[in-house]
Amino acid sequence: DTAVSQTPKYLVTQMGNDKSIKCEQNLGHDTMYWYKQDSKKFLKIMFSYNNKELIINETVPNRFSPKSPDKAHLNLHINSLELGDSAVYFCASRPGGAIGGTQYFGPGTRLTVL
Amino acid sequence: AQKITQTQPGMFVQEKEAVTLDCTYDTSDQSYGLFWYKQPSSGEMIFLIYQGSYDEQNATEGRYSLNFQKARKSANLVISASQLGDSAMYFCAMREPYGNNRLAFGKGNQVVVIP
C-alpha cells in the first residue's frame, strides 16, 4: 500500500563507514529524487533520475553515489561517512512529463554518523 | 540566491481558528508550480496543496487554501478551523520547469495549535 518507501528508517554508523539507503515507489512514476534535510530542517535537492537516467546532480561530494536499477528504485550509497553527513534523507517521486506532477515523499531516513 | 522565503517565526494558533502562513518566491520563469508540504513531528513530508502559475483560481483542498498573488509573487497557505493535528512544520516549495522540475524549499514555518 505504501507509495514511496525507504529503508532503513534509522541508520547509526561510525565515521568512515560505507552505507546505503534504499528507496522504492509503487506509483508508476518516472522520476525520482533524493533530498537532504539538515539539522535546521532545510531541504535541498541532491539527485534526480528520470527513467534510470541521472538528470540532476547538485554540488554533492562524490562520496555520494545514486543508483537506479529500474525506474521504481533509487538507492543512495555513501562512502567514507563524515560527521556532517548526519541528516534526514528523503526520497521522492513524481509522474513524468515535461511539466507537472506533484512530488510524493518517502518517510525519510535519519542518518547519524558518530 | 534564495528563491522561496518564509520568514514568520514560530506561530501559536488557537484551535478552531484560521492561520495564514506567508510564502514569497522569486523566479523569472512564466511557468512554475507552488506547493505546500506539512512535516509533523513524526518526520514525514505530506503534500497539502498545489498552485500552477497559470491557474486563475486559488487552489483549495479541504481546510487548506492557497492565496496566490502572482504580481506580488506570494503564495500564502491558509488553514481554516485549526486542529491539534495541524501542529507541524510547513514548507513552501517552488517547482521550476527548466530546473528539471526540482523543488526549491523555503525554511519552513513552525505552527503549534493550542487547545
Side-chain angles (χ1 to χ4, degrees):
Chain A
D1 219 15
T2 307
V4 184
S5 59
Q6 292 179 230
T7 52
K9 188 162 171 60
Y10 300 97
L11 186 52
V12 181
T13 188
Q14 300 284 338
M15 253 190 337
N17 283 350
D18 303 339
K19 290 293 177 187
S20 291
I21 306 171
K22 297 188 176 183
C23 178
E24 176 181 1
Q25 53 94 4
N26 62 6
L27 297 166
H29 289 169
D30 293 319
T31 307
M32 297 182 72
Y33 303 81
W34 279 110
Y35 289 85
K36 178 181 180 180
Q37 186 175 42
D38 63 24
S39 58
K40 294 184 179 176
K41 300 281 192 178
F42 186 62
L43 273 146
K44 195 168 187 311
I45 183 77
M46 298 175 71
F47 301 104
S48 178
Y49 271 74
N50 185 56
N51 276 323
K52 302 195 295 175
E53 181 188 344
L54 182 65
I55 57 171
I56 296 174
N57 187 352
E58 285 295 286
T59 310
V60 175
N62 57 15
R63 298 182 293 103
F64 290 79
S65 53
K67 281 194 172 51
S68 182
D70 55 61
K71 76 173 194 178
H73 295 85
L74 180 60
N75 303 325
L76 183 64
H77 188 76
I78 316 170
N79 288 328
S80 303
L81 278 154
E82 299 178 358
L83 295 176
D85 298 332
S86 295
V88 180
Y89 293 85
F90 285 98
C91 176
S93 74
R94 73 165 182 89
I99 298 173
T102 296
Q103 288 187 29
Y104 292 94
F105 283 74
T109 295
R110 183 175 292 277
L111 172 65
T112 304
V113 183
L114 304 174
Chain B
Q2 189 175 5
K3 297 186 176 181
I4 297 285
T5 302
Q6 295 177 259
T7 56
Q8 289 162 303
M11 303 173 72
F12 290 90
V13 58
Q14 203 74 40
E15 199 177 2
K16 298 180 188 172
E17 305 226 321
V19 59
T20 297
L21 306 181
D22 296 340
C23 172
T24 58
Y25 59 92
D26 181 30
T27 183
S28 55
D29 293 324
Q30 295 301 308
S31 178
Y32 51 89
L34 297 156
F35 299 80
W36 279 91
Y37 287 85
K38 171 185 177 182
Q39 187 175 40
S41 58
S42 49
E44 69 269 33
M45 293 286 290
I46 303 166
F47 165 70
L48 294 178
I49 195 166
Y50 166 76
Q51 179 85 41
S53 58
Y54 293 119
D55 295 340
E56 294 187 354
Q57 304 264 15
N58 284 342
T60 60
E61 288 284 351
R63 293 185 300 109
Y64 304 107
S65 58
L66 200 152
N67 183 0
F68 181 45
Q69 298 188 44
K70 195 169 181 177
R72 298 178 65 180
K73 293 189 176 178
S74 77
N76 299 340
L77 177 71
V78 180
I79 307 173
S80 62
S82 296
Q83 301 172 356
L84 296 178
D86 294 334
S87 296
M89 279 285 280
Y90 289 83
F91 292 93
C92 181
M94 179 171 63
R95 181 192 65 225
E96 296 182 87
Y98 304 111
N100 283 316
N101 288 281
R102 71 188 65 198
L103 287 180
F105 282 87
K107 294 185 176 181
N109 295 109
Q110 180 73 53
V111 172
V112 176
V113 180
I114 50 178

